[in-house]
Every structure is written in structure tokens, then in C-alpha cells.
Amino acid sequence: MGIDVIRNPRSETAPEPGGAANPAPPARRRRRTDGARWTAWAFLAPVVGYLAAFYAYPLYRNVELSLREYTVRSFVQGGAPFAGLDNYRTVLSAPTFSPALLNTVVFTVTSLVFQFALGLLLALFFHRHFPLSRTLRALFLVPWLLPLIVSASTWSWLLNSEAGVVNAALAVLGVEQVNWLTSPRWSLASVIIANIWIGIPFNLVVLYSGLQAIPRVLHEAAELDGAGRWQRFRWITWPLLRPVSAITLLLGLVYTLKVFDLIWIMTRGGPTDSSTTLATWSYRLGFGNLLPEFGPGAAVGNLLILLAVAAGGCYLGFERRRRLS
């Protein structure tokens, strides 16, 4: 005589106490993974398309231009003959290359040093939170907010030899007239001064943000221990501000290397190439003549890109060495 066992329908599917729930079928998990992957690609597609259209393709075209002998006709209709590295040899052997490279180095290094130093001093000054500090900080942002064509035109008027405000002020002090924009001695200094004025607000904003991130407790503790302002800056502020400073200098370097419109509006690289940089020379070769030289102009642009990449590599190497030390 058998005994019928009454089974609970839930006992076959319910997990044991403390056990895990039944996992989802493999097909369902695969569909979820595929859906998440396609969703991620859907979000990335606009960014990838933008980078390909506005960065990768122009870079490819610039390299392709530098390796062929393009004329106006072949630039429109195609069929430019392959030239290899002839355009680079032409550029490197040109008499303009040495002064343009030297001017680029002087313009970049001098601008970076003064922009960073003055920006840091102003950031430390505004970090004290005195009355009207916000208003003054906003006024210092004006050079950064103005279009470069406005800034360059303003400085051209200020430094005008005949009717400029700067020469008028120097005349009051008994100083003779200075041909800021038309003298080979002063043209490069003029565009450097204008570029420093434009770049100070960027350094001020970034370095001020870095100062805001430093805990005040560290300065208060050091002050209680008898440390002066210089000691607090040297042993607390500067070490903690170093990563922000490195990023500021790197971005400023990349930006300053490619400055073109400011120099072109103020001096057009002259007189006699005294203020010509690689950026202005590249533009003049490709678009500033009646018979444009697209190949050499593209070659100069690629050399400028290599300088920026080398600077970025130096920064990454410096950061890796600093982290390992």
C-alpha cells in the first residue's frame, strides 16, 4: 500500500533558504550584453564622428599635402605628383626656417614664463578674499573673453608709432619714439607683450582653482609652527599646486605654439621676418602669396605639430618620473 505524497508547487522552483536565485538563461544574458554594447557605441558614435571629421581627416589631408607637389589647378582637380620628402627638404633649407624657428621658441618660452608668473602672482593675490576681489577677478577675465581680432587691433592702435598711446606716454617721460610694429628690433617684443596680456587670465583662473583645492588647515598649522609666507608657499602651496601648474604650462605651450592671428594682424610676421613664426610662415606659404605653395606650407604645419607632440611627450615623461620618485 503506497503513500501519496502531497507536494507544494512552490517547493520545486523556490530557492533553498540562504541559496541564490535561479540565474538568467545564457541567451538572455547575451542579449543584455549585446544591448549594452550597442548602447555604448550609440553614445560614442557622435564623438567618434566629430573626431574623425574635424581632426583625423584634416591631419591626414595635411600630411598628404606635404608629400605632393600641389598647384592651384591640381588642388582643385587632383592629380598632384608624389614628391616624397622634397617639401620638407625645401622648408628646412629655406633661409626663413632658422629665424622662424628661433622666433617661435622665443615667442613661446617668453610668453609662457611671464603668463605663468603673473598669473600665479594674481592668483595668490586674489586668494586672500579682500573686498571687491570678485569684481576685480571678473575684470581680469576681459582679455581672455575678447575675440583675438579685437585684442590684436587694440594693441596695434596702442603701439602705433605716430598716434599710439604708448608712445604718447613715453614722450611725456622724455623717451624718444619707438617703432614698435615696424622696427625689426621691437616687432617680436610687441607681439609677445600682447600675447602675455591675453594669456594671463587663463593662468589666473586655472591656478586660482588649484589654490582653492588646497586645505586651509595645512597653512594654519604651518603658521602656528612659526612658518612665514615664503616658507608656507615653498613647502605647502607649490608642491600641492605642481600638478595644476604642469597642466597649465602644457596647455599654454600648445596654445602659444599655434598663435597666428595675433601676429598676422599686428605685424604680418615682418618686417623682414623679424616676427615670423612657424605658424605665420605656414599660412604665408599656403595662402599669403599669389602663387601658393601648398606642399611646403603643409610641411611647416606638420613640423609645428611635431613640436607640440614632443612637448606633450616631455610632459608625460616628467609626470611619470615625478610619480615614480
Side-chain angles (χ1 to χ4, degrees):
M1 180 177 181
I3 300 176
D4 295 332
V5 179
I6 301 176
R7 298 180 179 180
N8 188 351
R10 298 181 180 179
S11 62
E12 298 181 355
T13 59
E16 296 180 0
N22 292 336
R28 185 181 302 174
R29 291 203 306 271
R30 192 178 301 110
R31 285 196 298 269
R32 291 178 180 175
T33 304
D34 293 342
R37 184 181 296 112
W38 283 110
T39 302
W41 277 110
F43 279 105
L44 287 175
V47 179
V48 173
Y50 174 81
L51 293 177
F54 296 99
Y55 287 90
Y57 179 72
L59 182 59
Y60 160 76
R61 279 292 288 160
N62 203 61
V63 173
E64 197 262 346
L65 278 172
S66 67
L67 298 177
R68 294 184 179 274
E69 289 292 341
Y70 271 97
T71 61
V72 177
R73 181 176 181 180
S74 60
F75 186 81
V76 177
Q77 298 179 356
F82 184 75
L85 299 178
D86 289 346
N87 290 322
Y88 291 93
R89 297 189 187 97
T90 301
V91 165
L92 294 176
S93 60
T96 309
F97 176 74
S98 295
L101 180 61
L102 179 61
N103 291 339
T104 301
V105 173
V106 173
F107 177 81
T108 302
V109 173
T110 308
S111 297
L112 282 180
V113 169
F114 281 93
Q115 286 174 355
F116 182 82
L118 295 176
L120 179 59
L121 290 175
L122 289 173
L124 293 171
F125 175 72
F126 286 116
H127 190 57
R128 301 168 61 184
H129 297 291
F130 56 90
L132 297 179
S133 62
R134 294 183 178 180
T135 304
L136 292 177
R137 263 201 332 267
L139 292 177
F140 269 100
L141 293 179
V142 172
W144 194 28
L145 300 177
L146 288 175
L148 277 177
I149 188 172
V150 176
S151 301
S153 301
T154 302
W155 276 100
S156 297
W157 172 72
L158 290 173
L159 299 176
N160 185 273
S161 300
E162 303 296 334
V165 175
V166 175
N167 275 343
L170 293 177
V172 174
L173 299 176
V175 180
E176 296 182 358
Q177 175 180 302
V178 178
N179 298 320
W180 295 98
L181 304 178
T182 58
S183 170
R185 181 182 178 184
W186 294 103
S187 59
L188 184 60
S190 302
V191 295
I192 289 175
I193 292 172
N195 191 61
I196 291 173
W197 180 78
I198 293 172
I200 287 176
F202 171 76
N203 289 262
L204 167 61
V205 170
V206 179
L207 295 175
Y208 180 81
S209 301
L211 290 175
Q212 292 290 95
I214 299 176
R216 291 184 176 273
V217 179
L218 300 177
H219 288 277
E220 294 173 356
E223 189 174 1
L224 290 176
D225 291 338
R229 289 185 178 180
W230 169 248
Q231 292 176 320
R232 295 199 301 271
F233 173 80
R234 180 180 179 183
W235 300 110
I236 298 177
T237 303
W238 180 247
L240 295 178
L241 197 63
R242 191 176 299 166
V244 179
S245 302
I247 291 293
T248 305
L249 289 173
L250 177 63
L251 294 177
L253 175 64
V254 174
Y255 171 79
T256 308
L257 278 175
K258 66 181 184 64
V259 169
F260 155 74
D261 36 13
L262 176 71
I263 302 175
W264 191 258
I265 293 172
M266 291 183 65
T267 64
R268 293 187 177 271
T272 63
D273 294 333
S274 58
S275 60
T276 296
T277 61
L278 292 178
T280 57
W281 188 31
S282 176
Y283 177 83
R284 190 172 65 193
L285 287 172
F287 305 99
N289 298 319
L290 294 177
L291 296 176
E293 302 176 69
F294 295 114
V300 175
N302 289 332
L303 292 177
L304 196 59
I305 293 174
L306 289 178
L307 284 178
V309 171
C314 293
Y315 164 76
L316 293 177
F318 170 78
E319 281 296 304
R320 179 179 298 178
R321 193 179 302 111
R322 186 183 63 83
R323 292 176 182 178
L324 293 178
S325 61

